[in-house]
């Protein structure tokens, strides 16, 4: 049975889903998503592990001042492990969270027993021009403002579906409901944009390139 629980991390109320018993397994969702991404596979993983799936954007009611960099998120996940009393865990990260998992393993190698990287960021040195454009102030800010509206939230849902699923026609309706709910949270999209910009700048800085979001 999946349980929804909350824990305070540095003054930020953080939701996480948990189930099962056994060795700890932490599931980290992609940018612009939530812990609900794991709800279909979590019961199966919980047969052999104590599974934890946290929301990486806990400041959904106010945008917490931070650069939302991969290092910030890895420190945040490390603090989450401490708060939950998890000494060591296997960590699975999807997309941007793959980079977060990598940074976590580098920062706290004794705490990460295994890594699972799903379509992970952080494994290449180049930043695609289209990705840079998506986080420029004019385009990014307009998109966030538009997607907070009811019509914009619906457009965001239907646009993301074919990008994230090989068979959009088989997506459970609850996924659409969750995506719409996320877009309507006061500061969720702002935090998503901030994390995307920080990720692009972080990678650009590490390959000695300069991206538009850093200007």
């Amino acid at each position: 049975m999946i349980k929804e629980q909350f824990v305070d991390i540095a003054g930020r109320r953080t939701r996480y889903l948990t189930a099962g018993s056994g060795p700890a397994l932490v599931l980290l969702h992609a940018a612009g998503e939530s812990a609900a991404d794991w709800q279909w596979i979590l019961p199966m993983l919980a047969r052999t592990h104590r599974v934890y799936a946290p929301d990486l954007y806990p400041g959904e009611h106010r945008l917490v001042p931070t650069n939302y960099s991969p290092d910030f998120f890895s420190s945040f996940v490390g603090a989450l492990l401490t708060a939950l009393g998890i000494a060591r865990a296997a960590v699975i990260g999807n997309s941007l969270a793959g980079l977060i998992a990598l940074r976590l393993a580098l920062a706290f190698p004794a705490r990460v027993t295994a890594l699972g990287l799903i379509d992970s960021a952080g494994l290449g040195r180049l930043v695609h021009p289209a990705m840079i454009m998506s986080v420029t102030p004019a385009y990014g800010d307009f998109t966030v403002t538009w997607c907070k509206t009811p019509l914009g939230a619906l457009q965001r849902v239907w646009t993301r579906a074919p990008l994230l699923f090989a068979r959009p026609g088989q997506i459970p309706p609850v996924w659409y409901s969750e995506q719409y709910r996320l877009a309507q949270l006061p500061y969720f999209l702002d935090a998503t944009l901030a994390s995307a910009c920080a990720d692009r700048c972080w990678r650009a800085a590490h390959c000695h390139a300069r991206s538009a979001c850093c200007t």
Side-chain angles (χ1 to χ4, degrees), residues 16 46 69 81 102 125 142 147 169:
Y16 66 97
S69 68
L81 297 181
L102 285 168
R125 303 189 67 184
F142 170 79
C147 288

Side-chain angles (χ1 to χ4, degrees), residues 3 15 25 27-28 34 41 43 45 63 71 81 85 97 105 110 132 139 142 146 149 165 172 184 192 202 209-210 214:
K3 296 181 180 179
R15 183 186 74 138
L25 173 61
L27 308 176
L28 304 177
S34 74
I41 194 173
L45 296 174
L63 184 61
D71 286 337
L81 297 181
I132 294 176
Y139 184 87
F142 170 79
W146 166 247
T149 67
F165 293 89
Q184 295 291 287
T192 299
W202 185 90
R210 187 177 184 182
C214 299

Side-chain angles (χ1 to χ4, degrees), residues 14 17 25 29 34 38 83 91 100 103 114 163 175 179 190 192 204:
T14 302
L17 306 180
L25 173 61
H29 63 77
S34 74
W38 304 103
V91 181
I100 296 169
R103 298 299 299 173
L163 297 176
W175 181 85
Q179 288 294 310
D190 300 83
T192 299

